[in-house]
Amino acid sequence: MKISRQQLDAAVSRQILSEQQAEALIEFLRAQPGTGPVFDFTHVLYYLGGLIAIGAMTLFMTLGWEAFGGWGLFFIALLYAGVGLKLCDLFQRRGYAIPAGICATFVVALTPLAVYGLQQGLGLWPDSSAYRDFHRYIQWHWLYLELATLAVGTTLAWRYKYPFLLMPIAVTLWYLSMDLAAWLAFERLDFEIRALVSMYFGLLMTLLAFWVDIRSRHSQRDYAFWLYLFGVLTFWCSLSMQHSDSELAKFGYFMINLLMIGVGVILLRRVFVVFGALGVAGYLGYLSHQVFEDSLLFPVVLSALGLLIIYLGVLWQRHENRLSERLRGRMPLVVQQLLAKR
């Protein structure tokens, strides 16, 4: 929870805090180390510069770099990685956690380029595709690049323990789910098989995020954010791409999205709520345009359901503390500790 000066002034006006206590609390909060991202001009510059540098070596790579050849790309990537690690250590010693984490992430983002160059140099690259295609097309032979990136990313995340390092790991896991699906499908144009593999992979990534969340519950840093984001994204997109003519299966999709909303509320993770709400809206749209296209009662029933949900929200607010304590008391201790931290 972020505390603003206006909130402290309101607490003083209600005599919850004295003016001296409010001023002391403000000074204490200002003295805390700024290790987390904040939406101010300094942090915008940090992330803008970092994302441009990372994008230059990944999404915005041009075909002109292929002129350096495999070994040229490999040694250039190593040189850039050395500079990134040097800057990371420098910023870390001086207490600039955000720039240090971004520089370490830059090193992880260079790993696919280094592995691609090494394979090209050794003559092991299987086709004529270029490195820039890594972020554009699904191919089974990207697996080597992704596994190497996961190894380097995990090592640096263990070494430096910056949450932003989980971003390239999460993205790589997302890529891995799609390329692994292509490999398991033996390059067949079987879209449903690929979507099914990606769906289960996304579920596993989400469970990994929950495990990381539990393991880091005593830390002030959010290590699970990026894993949750791409895990839920992979799972939900693949789930939504499944095809079925069964109304029961479509209703099951609706219930899964409702469950995602509930999980998001319990874990205080918005990503579950956002995608779950999109799924619920999609199912209701399907009902209105397909199943009850000519129905006069469907909009009325749906409106009544919405008002009922609002009323349930009012009831929940009235008894939130008692119900929350009762529900949390039935959860495992580690989950209780996780929710207490939030």
Side-chain angles (χ1 to χ4, degrees):
M1 177 185 296
K2 295 181 180 179
I3 302 176
S4 66
R5 181 59 187 259
Q6 289 79 7
Q7 289 173 316
L8 292 178
D9 290 340
V12 171
S13 66
R14 295 185 183 182
Q15 297 182 345
I16 299 174
L17 294 174
S18 66
E19 291 187 8
Q20 294 78 8
Q21 289 174 324
E23 290 296 331
L25 181 57
I26 289 174
E27 292 301 320
F28 170 76
L29 293 175
R30 286 176 177 172
Q32 299 305 300
T35 57
V38 179
F39 189 75
D40 59 20
F41 189 64
T42 300
H43 286 76
V44 168
L45 290 179
Y46 285 159
Y47 283 103
L48 178 61
L51 292 176
I52 289 176
I54 292 170
M57 294 292 105
T58 54
L59 296 174
F60 310 131
M61 178 66 69
T62 64
L63 290 174
W65 275 58
E66 297 293 328
F68 289 110
W71 290 114
L73 292 175
F74 176 70
F75 287 112
I76 289 173
L78 289 184
L79 176 63
Y80 271 51
V83 173
L85 288 176
K86 189 71 175 178
L87 288 174
C88 178
D89 290 332
L90 176 64
F91 288 137
Q92 186 182 48
R93 288 196 301 270
R94 297 187 178 182
Y96 297 109
I98 300 298
I102 293 173
C103 289
T105 303
F106 175 68
V107 176
V108 179
L110 286 167
T111 305
L113 178 62
V115 176
Y116 169 78
L118 181 62
Q119 286 186 283
Q120 285 279 16
L122 294 174
L124 300 177
W125 195 247
D127 59 20
S128 60
S129 57
Y131 171 72
R132 66 178 298 179
D133 296 333
F134 175 58
H135 302 282
R136 301 169 60 189
Y137 302 114
I138 299 175
Q139 301 279 3
W140 69 267
H141 56 260
W142 302 130
L143 293 174
Y144 301 106
L145 282 64
E146 291 154 356
L147 292 174
T149 303
L150 290 177
V152 173
T154 303
T155 301
L156 292 184
W158 175 80
R159 167 67 175 83
Y160 292 105
K161 296 179 175 58
Y162 292 124
F164 195 55
L165 277 166
L166 274 296
M167 187 271 287
I169 293 176
V171 173
T172 303
L173 285 171
W174 181 36
Y175 284 6
L176 181 64
S177 70
M178 295 182 286
D179 295 330
L180 186 63
W183 178 65
L184 292 176
F186 301 105
E187 296 295 336
R188 289 182 299 168
L189 296 178
D190 194 334
F191 185 80
E192 292 187 13
I193 292 180
R194 297 188 182 190
L196 190 64
V197 173
S198 292
M199 183 182 70
Y200 286 115
F201 201 98
L203 180 60
L204 289 176
M205 197 192 312
T206 304
L207 293 175
L208 172 64
F210 181 67
W211 179 79
V212 171
D213 214 2
I214 292 293
R215 293 281 295 177
S216 61
R217 64 188 181 277
H218 299 302
S219 173
Q220 297 300 317
R221 298 175 175 179
D222 188 358
Y223 291 101
F225 170 79
W226 293 103
L227 293 173
Y228 273 127
L229 176 60
F230 285 96
V232 173
L233 174 66
T234 304
F235 170 77
W236 184 85
C237 289
S238 302
L239 177 68
S240 301
M241 292 176 184
Q242 301 294 322
H243 174 72
S244 175
D245 294 325
S246 169
E247 292 299 328
L248 183 60
K250 290 180 172 62
F251 180 73
Y253 172 80
F254 170 70
M255 295 303 296
I256 290 174
N257 281 277
L258 284 181
L259 178 62
M260 288 176 60
I261 294 175
V263 170
V265 171
I266 293 174
L267 296 181
L268 300 179
R269 291 288 179 178
R270 295 184 182 91
V271 64
F272 288 94
V273 179
V274 169
F275 284 102
L278 289 175
V280 169
Y283 178 73
L284 294 178
Y286 161 76
L287 290 181
S288 65
H289 288 87
Q290 300 292 332
V291 181
F292 300 105
E293 182 178 5
D294 300 319
S295 173
L296 296 176
L297 290 178
F298 181 74
V300 177
V301 173
L302 202 58
S303 299
L305 178 61
L307 294 175
L308 176 61
I309 292 174
I310 293 175
Y311 178 67
L312 291 176
V314 173
L315 293 179
W316 173 265
Q317 184 175 5
R318 288 179 183 175
H319 308 285
E320 181 176 2
N321 291 334
R322 179 171 56 85
L323 293 175
S324 296
E325 290 179 3
R326 182 177 299 178
L327 290 174
R328 291 180 181 180
R330 297 179 179 178
M331 295 180 180
L333 179 60
V334 291
V335 178
Q336 295 182 39
Q337 293 172 343
L338 175 65
L339 298 180
K341 185 189 76 170
R342 303 261 171 78

